[in-house]
Amino acid sequence: MKKITNTFIVQADDSTAIIGIVPKLQAGKPSVARLHYELLAEHPYEYDLDSFNFEVWCRRNDIDEADRESHRAAFFSKGHPCMRASPLTKTHGFGAHYNSAGKIAIYPVDSVAYRKLLNDPENRVEMAMRSKRPASSQAAGPHPRGRHHRLHSHA
């Protein structure tokens, strides 16, 4: 798989979040969204996509550190989603940035850093996947840089 670099994933165009929302625990356990948030908020630019997905999977499945190597080959024998499919970018009001080394960090949509990354010409800008299908059969809305530039240009 090709490494994703210099890419900013903006929140989905059907997200209603106007600020970054920390995902709640579900029945006292972290949801996928909460695991994504905890890992990336506590370790910005530490994980590339493969190591991030593997860490989330290990935590969700209670795989001990000592047993992880034995699970690695099976885990990577299948494809795994990028940050366009993360609940953080789809519904919780975060953008995800892949730096030049392919390491990931998250930024709330209401932050100055989000706007800077959105408008940085070094970044390719992609929109997160929608949570719902569009009401019409038309393609998704305009380029994400344009939509968010208009939304956030006054701030």
Side-chain angles (χ1 to χ4, degrees), residues 86-128:
S86 171
L88 296 181
T89 59
K90 288 174 68 172
T91 59
H92 286 81
F94 288 90
H97 180 244
Y98 295 84
N99 68 12
S100 61
K103 306 287 181 151
I104 309 165
I106 54 171
Y107 295 90
V109 297
D110 54 314
S111 68
V112 171
Y114 183 100
R115 288 189 295 281
K116 284 183 179 178
L117 289 164
L118 177 67
N119 293 303
D120 184 341
E122 298 293 315
N123 288 323
R124 182 174 66 246
V125 176
E126 295 183 15
M127 189 174 294

Side-chain angles (χ1 to χ4, degrees), residues 10-16 89-90 127-132 134 139-142 147-148:
V10 297
Q11 78 170 343
D13 65 356
D14 66 341
S15 174
T16 58
T89 59
K90 288 174 68 172
M127 189 174 294
M129 296 170 69
R130 297 172 57 92
S131 294
K132 302 174 190 86
R147 174 184 178 264
H148 285 270

Side-chain angles (χ1 to χ4, degrees), residues 36-62:
H36 283 198
Y37 175 80
E38 287 175 355
L39 281 173
L40 295 174
E42 294 169 14
H43 306 281
Y45 297 117
E46 189 172 311
Y47 292 98
D48 64 13
L49 185 59
D50 284 343
S51 61
F52 172 73
N53 281 329
F54 187 62
E55 182 65 27
V56 169
W57 182 82
C58 287
R59 289 183 183 203
R60 288 197 77 209
N61 292 286
D62 295 319

Side-chain angles (χ1 to χ4, degrees), residues 50-87:
D50 284 343
S51 61
F52 172 73
N53 281 329
F54 187 62
E55 182 65 27
V56 169
W57 182 82
C58 287
R59 289 183 183 203
R60 288 197 77 209
N61 292 286
D62 295 319
I63 306 296
D64 287 329
E65 197 73 40
D67 297 329
R68 290 183 178 196
E69 202 53 45
S70 64
H71 292 277
R72 188 173 292 279
F75 177 81
F76 286 112
S77 69
K78 296 185 268 180
H80 299 281
C82 71
M83 291 304 294
R84 288 186 63 233
S86 171

